[in-house]
Amino acid sequence: MRRSARPARAATRLLVAPRQRLAPLIDASADTETDADTRLRVDWCLEGATPHTLSDASPPEAWQALTRLAASHPVTLLLAADAVSHFHLAAPRGLKRREWPLLLETVTSEAVDQLHLQALQRGRGHLELIALPRAELAAWHAWAQRLGLAPTGWSCAFLALPRPATPDQITTLDDGSHRLCLGLAAPVAPGAPEARQWLAWPRDWPLPPAWRERDCQIVDGNIDTGPDIDAHGDTGQPRQRDGERGDGDGDGDGDGERHDDERHDGGEAAAAQARLRSLTWLSAQPPAALPFADDSGARRQGITWQPQRRTLWLAGAIALLALLDASLWLATSWRGHTSENQRQAAALAARFVGPPPADARAALVRRADAIDALARRNHRLSEALATATAQLAATPWQLSRLAVSGNRATLAWRYPEPPAPVVVNRARQVLATLGEAQWHALPGELSLNLPLAADTPEPTP
């Protein structure tokens, strides 16, 4: 008779919970595997057992005992609740894992391509993710490996919180530093379940109003979890004291200060007790372990994209079409360039069709003489203008007009105000050495008719 197959019982897990949010910096060149830099304050417990605490002041034998337990039990690294981010978003149908970071670009300011993503829930039209920087997770993994723990997975306390029954309720757990709250919200897509919301809130702060108004279920069963929460989840400001009620009684101030001192003195002890209770509760129902390998698809190192045969065929067709287009463009450009060269050559040859004219040499000589005459005229004009400007430099006369007609130039100056006759006469005498100077009272101009070259022939085209 065959024995009925029974599922194998899962091995008892070892939970290791560092109290720091970030992993310590480890010198990779250190010779020892458990140097002082790796011995930070951690809590650990086996499933269903009492938690223990280790620190840098603990004896080496205590750390070695933890290492021996890790050799015979699967280790889950329990990270701080505020070290992770949670997203429950609408996701289009057919979204690939490598495309998950695209959903987060509008809801977080972190570098989405540097996040380690793990799906908690995936359905039609929605996606629930837990995320943290890939470098931080790798640092924690390296820290645990250096201690000899060899963790098989990681997790956070949020994954152990039970789902509230209705959106009007929240489940909460005090881990000693934060109050972990799990609530429900409207579905992110039609047909999707109600979206889950995570909130890691400092335990000494009042909860936000939207969370404070819901019925609170404390999962560890302890009502006295702090000064600002009661059994019904009415999380608000710390309880008012006699001196804080605003009734004008001065005797209450001293009582308020005394209660503040008592609360401050017991704050660390209360936080330690809350953390112990939370770890005891987590050891009885540990959260699911998540893999250290990146779950974002093609973004993982070592994963190469293998194109399908249809994709290869399409890529080859596109490359061939691009090559044909480039060939046609080169051929068209070459033909157009050749045709333009031929037209220019024909136009140039047409200029020299037939015998040269009989007076070609004389025409060339006349053209050269005209060009020389034009150059002499321009030189004469430049010299005369420079001389006149220098002679009138000490006076406020300003050049207002310059006109050239053939071999004569006309220059005119204006005075800023109506000049006296003696000013006009002095200017005419100065300019008389260059040409004929005249004063025109109506426009208020002093003109100079300057002969440029009386014997210079007119330039002909």
Side-chain angles (χ1 to χ4, degrees):
M1 182 176 179
R2 297 182 59 184
R3 179 179 297 180
S4 60
R6 295 181 179 179
R9 183 178 180 181
T12 303
R13 280 194 295 168
L14 175 63
L15 301 180
V16 179
R19 294 197 180 186
Q20 294 184 193
R21 182 186 180 278
L22 300 177
L25 297 177
I26 300 176
D27 185 5
S29 62
D31 296 334
T32 60
E33 295 185 357
T34 56
D35 50 60
D37 292 338
T38 62
R39 293 180 179 178
L40 49 88
R41 194 171 184 84
V42 297
D43 301 298
W44 65 269
C45 61
L46 289 171
E47 291 186 21
T50 303
H52 302 272
T53 301
L54 292 176
S55 66
D56 55 355
S58 301
E61 294 77 9
W63 289 94
Q64 293 170 5
L66 175 61
T67 304
R68 287 193 298 270
L69 284 175
S72 57
H73 297 83
V75 178
T76 298
L77 199 60
L78 193 63
L79 301 184
D82 60 337
V84 300
S85 299
H86 172 261
F87 305 96
H88 202 162
L89 307 168
R93 190 174 182 179
L95 185 70
K96 302 296 188 298
R97 286 188 174 183
R98 63 176 179 271
E99 298 171 339
W100 289 354
L102 301 178
L103 293 177
L104 308 181
E105 290 183 344
T106 58
V107 295
T108 180
S109 59
E110 298 187 67
V112 294
D113 58 338
Q114 302 297 324
L115 291 179
H116 174 97
L117 302 178
Q118 178 68 40
L120 302 181
Q121 185 181 178
R122 188 179 185 184
R124 179 174 298 181
H126 72 102
L127 178 64
E128 184 181 11
L129 297 173
I130 183 174
L132 77 162
R134 192 178 297 116
E136 293 184 10
L137 183 61
W140 276 120
H141 194 198
W143 168 83
Q145 292 281 9
R146 192 170 183 82
L147 282 177
L149 301 181
T152 57
W154 66 279
S155 187
C156 69
F158 272 115
L159 297 178
L161 291 178
R163 180 186 179 93
T166 64
D168 296 332
Q169 298 177 349
I170 62 172
T171 55
T172 180
L173 175 68
D174 187 353
D175 68 357
S177 61
H178 290 81
R179 199 179 308 281
L180 314 185
C181 300
L182 175 63
L184 300 178
V188 297
E194 292 171 317
R196 293 195 292 183
Q197 295 177 323
W198 291 10
L199 177 66
W201 200 253
R203 68 187 306 268
D204 295 332
W205 294 8
L207 286 177
W211 292 79
R212 190 186 312 164
E213 297 169 356
R214 308 185 195 182
D215 293 334
C216 177
Q217 176 189 0
I218 304 172
V219 296
D220 61 1
N222 194 303
I223 296 178
D224 186 18
T225 58
D228 53 353
I229 187 169
D230 57 26
H232 302 289
D234 185 12
T235 307
Q237 297 290 343
R239 295 171 181 168
Q240 290 182 333
R241 302 169 178 84
D242 294 338
E244 298 174 345
R245 296 178 181 177
D247 55 4
D249 187 0
D251 297 338
D253 296 340
D255 294 339
E257 294 178 357
R258 178 169 53 83
H259 288 299
D260 288 340
D261 294 339
E262 293 176 356
R263 181 187 173 201
H264 176 74
D265 294 339
E268 294 184 2
Q273 293 177 3
R275 182 169 179 84
L276 179 61
R277 287 194 302 268
S278 66
L279 290 173
T280 302
W281 181 80
L282 288 171
S283 67
Q285 40 201 357
L290 305 176
F292 284 98
D294 197 348
D295 200 14
S296 57
R299 292 178 179 267
R300 278 184 295 182
Q301 292 183 351
I303 298 297
T304 55
W305 178 64
Q306 298 292 338
Q308 299 180 356
R309 180 177 300 178
R310 182 177 180 182
T311 304
L312 292 174
W313 180 87
L314 183 60
I318 292 175
L320 180 60
L321 289 175
L323 181 61
L324 291 176
D325 182 72
S327 301
L328 290 175
W329 179 80
L330 289 175
T332 304
S333 300
W334 179 79
R335 291 184 59 183
H337 183 69
T338 303
S339 301
E340 182 64 23
N341 289 342
Q342 291 177 353
R343 285 194 298 269
Q344 292 180 358
L348 183 61
R351 293 175 179 269
F352 298 97
V353 176
D359 59 344
R361 185 177 297 276
L364 290 176
V365 172
R366 290 194 302 270
R367 183 63 177 173
D369 293 341
I371 293 175
D372 293 340
L374 183 60
R376 290 193 300 269
R377 187 191 70 175
N378 293 340
H379 181 69
R380 166 65 175 157
L381 177 59
S382 299
E383 288 183 343
L385 180 59
T387 302
T389 302
Q391 292 175 348
L392 297 176
T395 63
W397 290 98
Q398 297 178 355
L399 184 65
S400 60
R401 184 163 52 92
L402 173 61
V404 180
S405 177
N407 292 324
R408 299 190 66 84
T410 301
L411 291 79
W413 288 265
R414 288 180 180 273
Y415 208 76
E417 58 186 13
V422 64
V423 175
V424 174
N425 293 332
R426 186 179 299 111
R428 291 179 58 187
Q429 293 174 3
V430 170
L431 298 176
T433 58
L434 299 175
E436 182 183 357
Q438 295 181 357
W439 168 250
H440 304 279
L442 185 58
E445 281 187 346
L446 177 63
S447 64
L448 173 65
N449 293 323
L450 180 66
L452 297 177
D455 56 347
T456 302
E458 291 288 336
T460 57

